[in-house]
Amino acid sequence: MFKKKNALLSSGLVLSMALSILSGCASGKSGANQDSDSSAGTAAKSVNLTFAVETPKDEETKQVWQEIIDGYTSKHDNVKIKLDYAPNDGDSFRTWLTTGLIGGTSPDIIPSRYTWTHEDLNKDLLVDLTPEYDKPNPYAGDKIWKDTFNPSILNEMKNPTSGSIAGITLQTLSIRVFYNQDLFAKNNLAIPKTWTEFLDVQAKLKASGVTPFAFANSKPGDNHYLWAVNMMTNQIAAEKVRKYDFNNNRQLELNEIAAAVDEGAVNLESSDWTGYMPIMKDWSQYWAKGYNAMNGDAAKEMFLRGDAAMVMAGNFELKTIQDSKARNFEYGTFALPYLTKEQNPNAAEKNYELGGYPDLVFAIPKKVTGDKYAAAVDFFMYLSSPEVATIMGNKMYVATTLANVDLPANLDGFKFVGDRILVNFYAAHIDKKLNEDLVKIGQLYLEGTISEEKYKAELQKTLKADMKTVLGTNNWSKENGYGTK
């Protein structure tokens, strides 16, 4: 177990009979992963935990993580936490995570993705934390832990089939266009709100000899193409499938997407769902040369050097951009402008935001039990406290998932200005092959190697086949409400 210095037991906390009753304990009774190897009245045991995070891109972030760990261990003199690192490349990261979970070699606390926690809980590789969320968080004024989170974000952490939660989320994302304020001022340009205004800004920049946009499209993981397509698709077609939001959480989950595809409401050969294609192709005239070979880091560096006026990035890149020594200009941010009926007759003419979903997710492997499990859960409660949210917001530029915690001033530009996207079937965690086809075949379409009709047909073929597999694997059908009955 673990001991909190100079603290009293919160009222109403009941320790499990499987644990020692300890003086100064900060958290309540722990879950099913507790062992019954300790007896009442014994002294607090020493606990050693290994806490892994995705490898930060800068030393300062590593130092902040260590500061957070030190803040926790200063309250618990019998707990030691070693900071470890996981790969930060998507495919390598997933391989590292799966190998460690299956082989029993993973750290005691692991980074993950919220959809991966769903998959790994189904495989019995992670601890189900659902009972813990009903307990008070001593680091948040003893408020019930689940009540301290943004409800919609915590809802997405729930396994779509069981409703269980197998992790915590510390950050939510928002995507923005970063722009060079000096170049905009020099060319007398205003921040665009509509797509028509956006194209006009880029035409003027290009005419003045400035590369308007650094667009990364070398691979699916660059995400620029995915982000833009998702936002456009929702502006054009989201309302056509809103009835499939069975649980009313304002985002279609896997079973709901499978239902919409199965019943023909989503058909990627229909102009309803591919209206973005000519818009993206037209926009590409303003991207930096070689965009199909430019990765995300190269695009960001081009912007920071002042060689491109704009780039897309999330709040997770804010620290890198703000602290860059290469940047010698002021920057600002704005939401990707919305489409008007001039671009598509079905355009909603309002912003749909990509983001607002759980990120910076951590979980506990099933192998972690007893005192280690109790300490890991307590550390999770500390990580999701206002104290840590403030540190992460100010020093790591993390937009917290906690409710009623103000964002620091440096994140003001990332506040939502529109509706959250409803449909996200191009995302890798929903359909990896479709995610790859979107970009890889899209590269050929942008270059003029294949036709729009061929592009549509290939995407529909992949989506239809993959959702058929999803239905069969999960035994979802119209008869059982696609898993809702």
Side-chain angles (χ1 to χ4, degrees), residues 4-18:
K4 182 175 180 181
K5 294 180 181 177
N6 303 320
L8 297 175
L9 271 173
S10 301
S11 61
L13 299 184
V14 182
L15 291 177
S16 168
M17 293 180 64

Side-chain angles (χ1 to χ4, degrees), residues 403-418:
N404 303 316
V405 174
D406 293 333
L407 293 177
N410 54 19
L411 288 169
D412 279 347
F414 291 87
K415 292 178 180 177
F416 269 29
V417 295

Side-chain angles (χ1 to χ4, degrees), residues 94-156:
R94 186 51 168 149
T95 300
W96 173 89
L97 186 61
T98 302
T99 301
L101 286 172
I102 293 175
T105 60
S106 59
D108 303 309
I109 296 172
I110 53 173
S112 189
R113 301 280 190 269
Y114 79 101
T115 53
W116 293 353
T117 67
H118 300 165
E119 297 170 11
D120 294 336
L121 181 64
N122 289 343
K123 297 173 183 175
D124 201 31
L125 296 172
L126 299 177
V127 174
D128 181 358
L129 295 174
T130 309
E132 307 296 347
Y133 275 96
D134 289 324
K135 300 172 185 175
N137 182 349
Y139 308 101
D142 280 336
K143 294 179 181 176
I144 298 301
W145 195 19
K146 66 182 179 184
D147 294 339
T148 64
F149 289 89
N150 180 300
S152 64
I153 294 173
L154 188 63
N155 189 60
E156 285 198 47

Side-chain angles (χ1 to χ4, degrees), residues 284-300:
S284 68
Q285 67 181 299
Y286 299 116
W287 301 346
K289 292 181 180 179
Y291 54 80
N292 277 346
M294 182 178 290
N295 64 29
D297 286 339
K300 182 175 59 183

Side-chain angles (χ1 to χ4, degrees), residues 255-310:
N255 64 319
E256 297 164 340
I257 291 170
V261 174
D262 186 49
E263 297 185 1
V266 174
N267 182 340
L268 300 187
E269 291 186 276
S270 163
S271 59
D272 289 340
W273 293 99
T274 53
Y276 66 84
M277 289 182 178
I279 300 171
M280 291 295 291
K281 194 166 189 176
D282 179 53
W283 182 24
S284 68
Q285 67 181 299
Y286 299 116
W287 301 346
K289 292 181 180 179
Y291 54 80
N292 277 346
M294 182 178 290
N295 64 29
D297 286 339
K300 182 175 59 183
E301 289 163 7
M302 186 177 187
F303 170 74
L304 291 171
R305 292 193 306 267
D307 293 337
M310 290 173 279

Side-chain angles (χ1 to χ4, degrees), residues 27-327:
S27 73
K29 66 182 179 180
S30 53
N33 265 39
Q34 288 286 347
D35 290 336
S36 56
D37 57 357
S38 52
S39 58
T42 60
K45 294 181 180 179
S46 295
V47 178
N48 294 304
L49 293 175
T50 303
F51 170 46
V53 301
E54 290 184 64
T55 304
K57 295 181 179 180
D58 57 86
E59 287 299 319
E60 291 82 358
T61 300
K62 291 181 181 179
Q63 293 170 10
V64 177
W65 279 121
Q66 190 59 55
E67 176 186 342
I68 291 169
I69 290 171
D70 293 344
Y72 179 80
T73 55
S74 69
K75 297 174 172 64
H76 305 283
D77 58 8
N78 66 313
V79 179
K80 294 181 179 179
I81 300 176
K82 177 186 176 183
L83 184 60
D84 199 1
Y85 301 106
N88 58 19
D89 173 76
D91 290 338
S92 298
F93 177 28
R94 186 51 168 149
T95 300
W96 173 89
L97 186 61
T98 302
T99 301
L101 286 172
I102 293 175
T105 60
S106 59
D108 303 309
I109 296 172
I110 53 173
S112 189
R113 301 280 190 269
Y114 79 101
T115 53
W116 293 353
T117 67
H118 300 165
E119 297 170 11
D120 294 336
L121 181 64
N122 289 343
K123 297 173 183 175
D124 201 31
L125 296 172
L126 299 177
V127 174
D128 181 358
L129 295 174
T130 309
E132 307 296 347
Y133 275 96
D134 289 324
K135 300 172 185 175
N137 182 349
Y139 308 101
D142 280 336
K143 294 179 181 176
I144 298 301
W145 195 19
K146 66 182 179 184
D147 294 339
T148 64
F149 289 89
N150 180 300
S152 64
I153 294 173
L154 188 63
N155 189 60
E156 285 198 47
M157 287 293 293
K158 294 179 180 178
N159 187 295
T161 54
S162 68
S164 299
I165 303 176
I168 62 166
T169 171
L170 303 180
Q171 173 176 254
T172 185
L173 300 182
S174 182
I175 306 302
R176 288 290 178 266
V177 175
F178 285 74
Y179 72 100
N180 184 320
Q181 290 184 344
D182 296 357
L183 287 175
F184 267 53
K186 182 179 179 180
N187 289 277
N188 298 311
L189 300 174
I191 295 174
K193 293 185 178 181
T194 69
W195 197 260
T196 302
E197 295 169 351
F198 188 44
L199 294 181
D200 182 60
V201 162
Q202 291 171 95
K204 290 177 179 176
L205 285 167
K206 188 173 182 178
S208 70
V210 175
T211 299
F213 212 98
F215 195 94
N217 201 44
S218 68
K219 60 185 183 300
D222 291 326
N223 288 323
H224 288 193
Y225 195 83
L226 171 69
W227 293 339
V229 166
N230 264 332
M231 285 186 264
M232 291 180 186
T233 298
N234 278 269
Q235 291 175 44
I236 296 170
E239 292 307 315
K240 299 180 184 300
V241 292
R242 191 167 294 278
K243 70 177 183 179
Y244 291 95
D245 183 17
F246 302 142
N247 60 3
N248 295 312
N249 72 340
R250 294 181 295 173
Q251 183 171 43
L252 297 197
E253 296 173 353
L254 183 58
N255 64 319
E256 297 164 340
I257 291 170
V261 174
D262 186 49
E263 297 185 1
V266 174
N267 182 340
L268 300 187
E269 291 186 276
S270 163
S271 59
D272 289 340
W273 293 99
T274 53
Y276 66 84
M277 289 182 178
I279 300 171
M280 291 295 291
K281 194 166 189 176
D282 179 53
W283 182 24
S284 68
Q285 67 181 299
Y286 299 116
W287 301 346
K289 292 181 180 179
Y291 54 80
N292 277 346
M294 182 178 290
N295 64 29
D297 286 339
K300 182 175 59 183
E301 289 163 7
M302 186 177 187
F303 170 74
L304 291 171
R305 292 193 306 267
D307 293 337
M310 290 173 279
V311 71
M312 266 196 299
N315 54 291
F316 51 87
E317 293 282 12
L318 179 59
K319 179 174 174 58
T320 302
I321 292 173
Q322 183 161 306
D323 296 349
S324 172
K325 293 179 180 178
R327 179 176 59 83

